[in-house]
Structures are given as C-alpha cells and as structure tokens.
Amino acid sequence: MLDNLQLFVDAPFLLIQVLLDGILFGAIFAIAAYGMALVWGVMNVINIVQGEFVMLGGFITFQLTLWGIHPLFGIPVAAAVLFVIGIGLYYGVIRRVVDKDMFISLLATFGLSILLQQLMNQIWGGDVRTAQSGLGTWFLFDYTVTIGQIKVVACAGALILGLILILFLKKSRLGQAIRATAQNPRAARVLGINTDKVFAATYGINAALCGAAGALVVMAYSVHPYIGLPYTVRSFMIVIVAGLGNLPGVILAGLGLGAAENFAAFILGAQFQVAFVFCLLVVILVVRNTLLRHKRKYLK
Amino acid sequence: MNGRGQIILGIVIVAAALAAPLVFPAFRAQIAMLWIMVLFALTWDILGGQTGYNTFGNIIFFGTGMYAAAVFQRDGGFDYFPGLFIGMGLGAVISVVLAAVLGSMILRMRGHYFAIATLGLGIAAGEIASGWNFIGAGSGMSPPLFPGAPGVSYIFFGYLFFGLALITFLILAWVYRTRFGLALNAIRDNEDKAEAMGLKTDTYKIAAWMLAALFLGLCGGAAGNMLGFIDPRDTAFAGATFGVWMVLMAILGGKGTLWGPVLGAFVFHVTQEILWTHLLGWQRVALGLIIVGIVVFFPQGILGWARTRWPERFGHRVETP
Amino acid sequence: MTEQLVITGVSKRFGGIVANESISLSVPQGSITGMIGPNGSGKTTLFNSIVGHHPVDGGSITFEGREITRLRVPQIARLGMIRTFQQTRIFGKMTCMQNMAISDADHGYGLAALLKPISGETRDRSEALLDFCGLHSKRHLLAGDLSFGQQKLLEFAMALMIRPRMLLLDEPTAGINPTLINGLIERLIRVNQDLGITLFVIEHNMRVIMNLAENIHCLAYGKLLASGTPDDIRNDERVIDAYLGGH
C-alpha cells in the first residue's frame, strides 16, 4: 500500500493519469445518478435495479457488435430498448408499490435487480464483456499519460445526455408535468395531470438514460451480469451528497467519486475497489446522519 | 392461537424434528438447512419485523461467525469438538461486538437509509473477505473435516441447528412478552412518540441487533463446518442468496410475529427444495420472480393475512361485559 | 396556590416569522388552565417550547422550581410533564393493553427493567385507566383499528399511565364526536380533582374551555393578549377584537 503511494512521488505524472481516468469514469456515474434522483424525487422510490439497467444497456450494445453493428449505434438502441423495459416494469411491478412503504419498493426493486442479473447471466453468460469501438489512444506528456479516446467520447456522451435531459425537463410539456408531480403529486392530480402516466414516463426515461450509459460503459470499460449493484450504490451516494434535482452538484459529485475511487483502487489494490465503494457508502450515510443530528441539536 | 394450542403445536414440531433425520435419512442435509433457514428468519425478524428496521446486512454476522470459528479451528490447536464449540462461541462474541459497534454507527439512521447502509455493509464484508489473505482471500477456507463416518455429520449438525433454533425461538418468545418487546414494537409504530415518552430507543435497537448477531454468529460457526467449505461471497457473506432469503422468509410468513418467520422458513425451504431440481440453472431467475411476487402481491405474509382475516383468533376482539 | 409552571419572556422565531414574542405566564399547581387564541397565534409553538421539542430563542421556563429551558422532550417527560397532540400519536399495530403497558414508567426505561415480564400491577392499572376512558371492552383491539376519538382517549389514558404531574393537552376535543365531548370534559375534571394532575389545555371550543378552566391565557399574533378568569376573558375588549378580526 505504501509502495503504491511512493509511486506517486517517483512518477508524478501517474497522479494525473489516475485523476484523469477517475474523472472520465465518474461522468458515467453522474448520468446514472441523475436518473436515480429523478425517480427518487418524482416517485419517492429508491431504484435498486439502476445498476442492472446500466449493465443491460451494455449487454444490448455488446449483442449489436456480435451482429457486426458499430457499438456507437448501441447508444440509441439500448436507450430505446431500456425505455420499453422500464415502462413494462413500471406497469408490471413499480406501479403497485409506488404508494407503499419505502422499504417495500426498495425490496421490490432489489428483487428486480436479482431477476435481471440472473437473466443476463442466462443469456450472455458470466464472462466480462466489452465492445470494441475501434478508437485509438492519445498520449500526453511524453507518453507518460495515456487516454483512451473512447473514454473521452464516453465522458462527453454522458454530459450531452445530461444536457438533453435537462432541456427536456425544462421545455417539454411532459417534462413540466414531471417536475410538477415531483413538487406535489396531489396538486398535480388535481390540476388534471395523469400522475400514473408521468410515473411511467419517468421510470422509462430513467431506464433509457441508464441504457445509454451502459452502452458507454461497455465501449469504454466492461460489463458483467453481477456488477450492477456497485453502479446503484454509486448513484445513491452521489444523490445523497448532491441532493435531489441538482445537476451541477450531481456531475461534480460523480466526477469526485470517480477520482476518489480510482485513487483508492490504485493505493489499496484493485481487489478492494468494490469494497471501497460500499464502505464509502456507509461512511457517507453516517456522516450525513451525524450532520442532520447536529442540526437538530437542542440549543447549541 | 391460544397458549395451549401453541404448546401442543410446539411439542408436535419438536417431536417431528427429533424424528425427521432418522425417518428420512436421504434428506438429512436439507433438514439441517431447514433449521438454519428458521434461524435466519427468526433473527432477521427481531429488527426487521418487530422493530421496523429492515436490514439487508444481517448476513455479516453469519459470515463473521463462520470465519471466526474456522480461523480458531485452524490456529487454535484444539481437537475437533472443543475447537468447534469454542470457535462458535468466539464467532458469536465477535459478531455481538460488531453489532454493537456498527449498530451505534448506523442504527441512529431512520428507515430506508438504514436499509441501504446495511446493504453496503453486507457487500463490503464479502469484498473485504475475498481480498484478505489471512482468511484465504478469494479462494476461501476449508474448516477441518468432521470426525466420524460420512453422513453422521448431517445428523450431528441437524440436531445442533435444531437445538439452536429452538433456543432462539424460546428466548424470543420470552423477549417479545416483556416490555422490551413492546418497546421494539413501539419503535416500529411511532419512534418519535416512543422517544418522547422517555424510551431509550437507540439502546434498544442496538440491543436487538446484538441479540440477532449472537444467534447468527453461533449459527455461522457451525454452518461453515457443515458445508465443509467457506466461500467469501457464496456461503459466508452470501447477500444475494442467504441475505435476501432471510428477509423473504420473514415477510412470507408474516413479519413482526413470533411464528411467522418459522412458517415462512418452512414454506420457502420446502418449496425451494421441491422446485429447485426442476429449474436447471433458472433457479435464481425464479428467486428474483418470487421476491418481486411476494413483495408486490403478498407483503403482509401468511400470518399477517390470517390476522386481518380472523382477528378474533388472534385475540383482537371486543369484550362484551 | 404555588405556581407549577412558570414561563418568563419566552420567544421563538422560525426564520423571519415571530411565533412567540416574550410570553410570560404561569400555571398554578393543581389548576386547570386554558390557552386560547385565533389560528396561528402561537399556542402549539409555545407548547412545543415548553416540552422541549425545539430550542427557544430567549426567556426561561421552570417546572416545579426547576429550570427546564434547555432540557429535551424525554428528560422533561421523565420529570412528569407530558403532552398530547392534536393529531393523535399512538402505537397503531399494538393492542390497547400493550400501548398502556409500554407507557408505564414506574420501573424506569433501563434495559434490565424492560426485560422483566409485564407485572400484574401494570395490567391492573392499565385496565383501570382504560375503563376510566371507556375503552375497557376494546382493550384487546389494535389501537390503529380504533376510531379517531377513541384513539384520542387512548392517548389520554397512556399519558395518565405515566403518572404525570402536569398534562399539556393540545385541543383534546378537536375531531371528537360532539356527543362524546361532555364525557371527555367530565373525565378531565375528574383527573384534575381525583388524581391532582394539573391540566394546561389548548382549546378552540369556547363552550368547553369556559366551563373547564379556572383561568385562561389568550394569545394573539404570538403575544400574550390577556389572562384571567373565564369571565374576565369573555368580557375583555382585546380578546373580542382578536377573535372578530378587528385589528
């Protein structure tokens, strides 16, 4: 562990490498987190199946490459397929738990996450999959820092998706209905908004967003049926740190998390990266709770 | 069910449990697993059902007990049985301490934040175990072989787990009748009110979790020996199977009741054993479907449903003078 | 008569809104004291300040000569001052008897004390108090299955179970079937006379409070407007103005 730290002193460019990789990775977390915040804010459901949506988007893109289609087309295709799946899951499952106790919806989406994991495992098997984009690598600082071009494309793609979503929520009628429902579902219903449809659309849009993110993940990194949960937990952490409905905050928290995780993996060893993510989750929750308690404290 | 009915039912179950491994020698392993399942559901329900603090992380105490016993058996230099029992005790002690430490950190959170924190802890434990060389890292550990003829181990462990499950059940039956049990229910129904009345809610929640950790730690220590192999993610900290089954069995039977988790464990385990072999690799897909199905369509559980259907049978009746 | 609860210059602001502005009043030992005022005049805020629900911005509160301004809800509850809520707070999935048993504070709330079985004495007292509140026949029902009015009575019985020396009741008659109100008033008076518990009551129903209370404080716009006997209050020009909106 200390040897790894020593490396930073010996080769300072390594710092830039790790930081850059982390930030590029973090942009994808941000996009999944924004979808989670949307569902949480509008429907009051914490969507544990978030990470599996991302993985499914990745596998769909992988399947396209098997058929000889360039993975970039995977972005719209995965988004479209996931949108349909999201709507289907809403009407089949989520709709029945949306107004129940939050733990019920938590458990229901957890069940969905196990279901999707196992389905993906049955269809594509338990191997780690990637989709070759055919893009090259940039070398900086005398070949000491390397950047996969596809990672930059993925990062940019994630940010563009975020922008599209923002514009959609601000400008379109459906987007306005979603925002109205988020503020006050009952008032929205009184004003004639069909909140059931709004919920379905919200859930579908979130799934589509995750699907597109998954296409970026499979191109720039890799997918596997069982690594969805870390994406869910990352999204959750980002939402807790940034708050609901705060896109700049979500992006910043996403990039920060990506960087922190990459440094942790480098220093502790890659086998502890996932453990770090989950421990960080617990730490963030404990800190958040302590801060809230402090606020409530009686007379200083 | 009245007191006498419960006692008769109890005697029937104890008699059946004692006879089962002898009558059905082919199913000894499944019978032993059944009692582990009952232990899972009963201990989950202490916090999840009675107190309303749903956890995904109780599996850490099971895994901790499993590893602690195996490490003690490996390094302690005792014979098999003393090693096993001291190891189980050690596992239980470590689990209880862990529950106290983790509980004082995260049991002050409310509701779903607590649930997600426990989810994180459960997975983090599995990941840490699979990276830690002292306990075999990703390749796991093998507890010492059971001395004696093959097949005898399942009789021994079957009765051991049954005894453990019975003790757990009796202790919980007693605890739920005390005001401590009522205090847990009060936290579930309205924690603010309970706190305002002067109940020391944080203390009770932590104590409840420690109680669950005690039995899970003991159970884990023996379970590792019975299974013969400890895998960090698939047996010890098996969040996606054991960890979820705990929740599911308690909910299926009726959470927040004494008999519900027992009933849920029976129904779940028997169904699973019957269906499993016919599903050829699709078992876990089916599990996902079962979870969603139960949560969406049957969240009140068997006893919860019976209670709303026949409230008088559960003593909720108006007395006419 | 000694003053059991003394409030001196208590102020409470929420952001820029002044909910209570240097209110001073006292509640004599063994009395039934009322508090009235139009909606939003700061009555519930004052209750919350007294029982330690939130910090106050200024002033002091003493209970039986003891400074309680900085204590929190549970500590104040243990001193013997209990409040009930406008919206009832009971344990819905527990039976009435269980609700009563957990409210029994005689043995303290330590872990060891809680692990003893429920005593026959607790059970007898629970039954007696439920009987007093007219809930005896329903004692084995789940509290959540009772009607709103019955839940209010249960909450009242639970408060009595704690053996309080002072009860702060926030609109005890709100939402209760009018035919039950007389019975409730009777019970309040009996609690006060037989058990010697001081009652401090917020009430909107003028008929109720005028018949019940010996002295009444009237709040308006976060300030104490008037104090006195029911007759004084009834004839006070400022009170009439406040209620008729002539401000």
Side-chain angles (χ1 to χ4, degrees):
Chain A
M1 201 174 114
L2 286 175
D3 308 346
N4 293 336
L5 274 177
Q6 183 67 36
L7 272 180
F8 285 132
V9 182
D10 297 341
F13 282 120
L14 216 51
L15 266 174
I16 299 175
Q17 176 82 60
V18 173
L19 183 69
L20 216 56
D21 277 344
I23 286 177
L24 292 176
F25 198 15
I28 297 179
F29 301 164
I31 201 66
Y34 199 62
M36 175 176 263
L38 191 66
V39 168
W40 193 345
V42 175
M43 302 164 66
N44 201 27
V45 167
I46 297 175
N47 191 38
I48 301 287
V49 67
Q50 197 80 352
E52 277 70 29
F53 284 167
V54 174
M55 291 300 116
L56 194 54
F59 275 114
I60 288 168
T61 307
F62 167 73
Q63 187 64 43
L64 290 182
T65 62
L66 289 187
W67 293 332
I69 300 167
H70 193 273
L72 275 177
F73 291 103
I75 301 173
V77 174
V81 174
L82 260 296
F83 182 76
V84 174
I85 292 177
I87 299 268
L89 287 180
Y90 173 76
Y91 281 110
V93 177
I94 308 294
R95 183 191 200 186
R96 297 167 212 272
V97 293
V98 91
D99 53 351
K100 298 235 174 80
D101 176 46
M102 206 167 190
F103 181 71
I104 294 286
S105 58
L106 202 65
L107 198 56
T109 54
F110 191 66
L112 285 179
S113 113
I114 292 183
L115 183 64
L116 284 191
Q117 274 174 27
Q118 301 299 337
L119 278 176
M120 287 187 283
N121 191 31
Q122 289 292 322
I123 298 172
W124 289 286
D127 295 328
V128 174
R129 306 289 191 181
T130 55
Q132 295 304 326
S133 60
L135 292 180
T137 306
W138 282 314
F139 298 96
L140 302 175
F141 305 107
D142 263 350
Y143 288 89
T144 47
V145 174
T146 59
I147 305 171
Q149 288 166 7
I150 185 62
K151 291 189 183 177
V152 178
V153 171
C155 177
L159 296 180
I160 290 168
L161 281 173
L163 262 178
I164 294 174
L165 184 67
I166 291 281
L167 284 177
F168 167 78
L169 287 178
K170 284 251 157 77
K171 301 289 175 198
S172 73
R173 274 198 67 78
L174 179 57
Q176 286 167 349
I178 289 176
R179 288 192 301 146
T181 309
Q183 287 195 359
N184 190 337
R186 192 176 292 172
R189 254 188 301 262
V190 171
L191 291 173
I193 294 175
N194 184 341
T195 49
D196 195 35
K197 281 202 175 129
V198 167
F199 285 168
T202 307
Y203 202 73
I205 289 167
N206 169 49
L209 207 57
C210 290
L216 300 175
V217 170
V218 77
M219 280 187 275
Y221 308 92
S222 61
V223 294
H224 181 272
Y226 294 153
I227 57 165
L229 202 53
Y231 282 87
T232 303
V233 165
R234 286 165 183 146
S235 304
F236 182 76
M237 283 195 275
I238 292 168
V239 176
I240 287 189
V241 171
L244 296 171
N246 167 11
L247 188 70
V250 165
I251 290 176
L252 267 181
L255 301 183
L257 175 65
E261 208 181 283
N262 227 27
F263 273 106
F266 189 84
I267 295 167
L268 300 173
Q271 75 271 30
F272 286 117
Q273 182 171 354
V274 176
F276 172 79
V277 173
F278 286 91
C279 288
L280 187 65
L281 164 74
V282 177
V283 170
I284 284 177
L285 282 172
V286 169
V287 168
R288 172 187 173 279
N289 199 51
T290 318
L291 290 177
L292 282 182
R293 287 231 149 193
H294 199 69
K295 242 186 222 167
R296 256 187 264 148
K297 210 167 173 187
Y298 198 89
L299 282 182
K300 273 144 286 201
Chain B
M1 206 164 15
N2 59 29
R4 223 171 110 202
Q6 287 197 35
I7 290 170
I8 294 171
L9 181 66
I11 292 171
V12 170
I13 290 177
V14 170
L18 290 176
L22 306 173
V23 180
F24 305 106
F27 295 102
R28 280 174 189 156
Q30 285 89 334
I31 291 168
M33 274 312 282
L34 171 65
W35 301 120
I36 296 183
M37 294 295 151
V38 170
L39 274 162
F40 279 169
L42 276 174
T43 50
W44 185 83
D45 199 55
I46 302 173
L47 209 58
Q50 299 285 348
T51 320
Y53 271 70
N54 299 289
T55 117
F56 288 113
N58 275 8
I59 193 72
I60 37 182
F61 306 125
F62 181 72
T64 303
M66 199 179 258
Y67 271 113
V71 168
F72 181 79
Q73 285 175 295
R74 183 187 69 190
D75 302 341
F78 283 86
D79 286 341
Y80 185 81
F81 287 105
L84 171 65
F85 288 120
I86 301 174
M88 282 169 65
L90 185 70
V93 170
I94 295 177
S95 292
V96 168
V97 172
L98 195 63
V101 173
L102 294 177
S104 58
M105 280 162 54
I106 66 171
L107 267 170
R108 293 170 204 276
M109 295 173 200
R110 292 284 172 97
H112 47 274
Y113 287 102
F114 171 75
I116 289 177
T118 57
L119 181 70
L121 283 176
I123 293 172
E127 292 294 329
I128 291 170
S130 55
W132 190 8
N133 286 322
F134 176 65
I135 52 172
S139 44
M141 282 183 81
S142 297
L145 272 180
F146 185 82
V152 178
S153 84
Y154 283 123
I155 300 184
F156 169 76
F157 284 111
Y159 285 126
L160 181 65
F161 287 124
F162 170 66
L164 216 52
L166 185 66
I167 293 170
T168 309
F169 180 86
L170 293 175
I171 288 180
L172 291 183
W174 166 70
V175 164
Y176 295 158
R177 293 176 85 93
T178 65
R179 288 171 69 230
F180 179 68
L182 293 185
L184 296 184
N185 293 162
I187 292 171
R188 174 194 64 196
D189 285 359
N190 193 333
E191 187 164 357
D192 287 327
K193 165 90 177 177
E195 221 175 347
M197 273 171 35
L199 291 172
K200 293 165 184 155
T201 52
D202 285 341
T203 313
Y204 310 152
K205 285 183 284 186
I206 294 169
W209 217 25
M210 287 163 70
L211 190 64
L214 171 70
F215 296 119
L216 277 173
L218 287 170
C219 175
N225 276 264
M226 186 182 85
L227 297 169
F229 179 70
I230 302 174
D231 181 274
R233 294 193 199 98
D234 285 344
T235 52
F237 301 105
T241 50
F242 296 158
V244 189
W245 295 355
M246 294 178 183
V247 190
L248 207 55
M249 292 183 295
I251 291 180
L252 175 64
K255 62 179 190 170
T257 61
L258 178 61
W259 283 96
V262 181
L263 184 64
F266 266 88
V267 173
F268 180 81
H269 188 64
V270 171
T271 320
Q272 173 182 303
E273 289 296 332
I274 292 171
L275 287 183
W276 240 219
T277 44
H278 301 291
L279 287 170
L280 294 166
W282 290 83
Q283 292 100 330
R284 293 193 174 182
V285 179
L287 177 70
L289 279 174
I290 293 172
I291 297 178
V292 176
I294 291 177
V295 170
V296 172
F297 296 105
F298 203 52
Q300 77 275 45
I302 299 170
L303 281 191
W305 172 80
R307 196 208 288 257
T308 40
R309 184 80 178 69
W310 300 287
E312 305 82 19
R313 296 213 159 221
F314 290 81
H316 306 310
R317 59 187 183 275
V318 181
E319 271 183 13
T320 41
Chain C
M1 222 192 274
T2 54
E3 307 293 347
Q4 193 173 12
L5 176 70
V6 180
I7 297 164
T8 323
V10 164
S11 298
K12 176 68 191 173
R13 286 180 295 277
F14 293 106
I17 298 160
V18 181
N20 288 153
E21 194 181 339
S22 78
I23 291 180
S24 298
L25 55 82
S26 57
V27 178
Q29 177 107 39
S31 69
I32 300 181
T33 300
M35 181 154 61
I36 60 169
N39 285 328
S41 58
K43 305 182 297 290
T44 300
T45 304
L46 185 60
F47 261 30
N48 284 337
S49 300
I50 295 170
V51 299
H53 189 71
H54 51 217
V56 295
D57 295 317
S60 90
I61 304 164
T62 60
F63 178 64
E64 301 184 335
R66 204 181 146 153
E67 176 72 36
I68 60 163
T69 321
R70 279 158 187 275
L71 298 187
R72 287 158 168 243
V73 175
Q75 296 161 319
I76 292 174
R78 283 182 211 125
L79 290 178
M81 182 155 65
I82 304 291
R83 64 95 59 101
T84 64
F85 294 86
Q86 249 169 310
Q87 296 299 321
T88 60
R89 297 192 182 180
I90 43 129
F91 305 119
K93 295 246 170 79
M94 296 161 67
T95 67
C96 296
M97 281 299 275
Q98 289 175 327
N99 269 276
M100 295 299 281
I102 194 60
S103 306
D104 184 357
D106 286 1
H107 310 285
Y109 286 121
L111 209 49
L114 282 192
L115 280 170
K116 293 198 185 101
I118 297 158
S119 68
E121 191 255 326
T122 301
R123 216 163 279 150
D124 292 346
R125 221 151 62 77
S126 302
E127 294 209 13
L129 283 172
L130 284 174
D131 191 36
F132 174 69
C133 291
L135 292 171
H136 190 262
S137 65
K138 301 197 165 64
R139 67 187 186 280
H140 294 303
L141 292 185
L142 295 183
D145 292 343
L146 300 177
S147 73
F148 181 74
Q150 289 166 339
Q151 291 186 4
K152 274 199 126 149
L153 285 168
L154 175 63
E155 193 187 14
F156 181 55
M158 286 161 70
L160 293 177
M161 194 75 190
I162 309 179
R163 298 187 197 274
R165 286 198 294 284
M166 180 184 279
L167 272 179
L168 276 64
L169 305 170
D170 197 345
E171 298 200 32
T173 65
I176 286 199
N177 185 333
T179 57
L180 294 177
I181 288 183
N182 283 336
L184 182 71
I185 296 175
E186 216 171 275
R187 288 193 182 97
L188 290 177
I189 291 173
R190 274 185 57 195
V191 161
N192 179 252
Q193 289 179 347
D194 299 354
L195 304 176
I197 298 171
T198 313
L199 300 181
F200 190 15
V201 189
I202 293 179
E203 189 51 67
H204 264 303
N205 187 325
M206 281 302 154
R207 181 179 69 83
V208 170
I209 199 72
M210 293 297 166
N211 286 325
L212 190 66
E214 299 145 34
N215 42 53
I216 295 175
H217 303 288
C218 178
L219 299 193
Y221 306 101
K223 290 183 202 147
L224 184 66
L225 200 61
S227 298
T229 63
D231 280 334
D232 297 341
I233 293 292
R234 222 191 312 253
N235 299 321
D236 193 302
E237 287 297 325
R238 294 166 301 174
V239 176
I240 296 168
D241 279 353
Y243 267 90
L244 297 178
H247 205 67

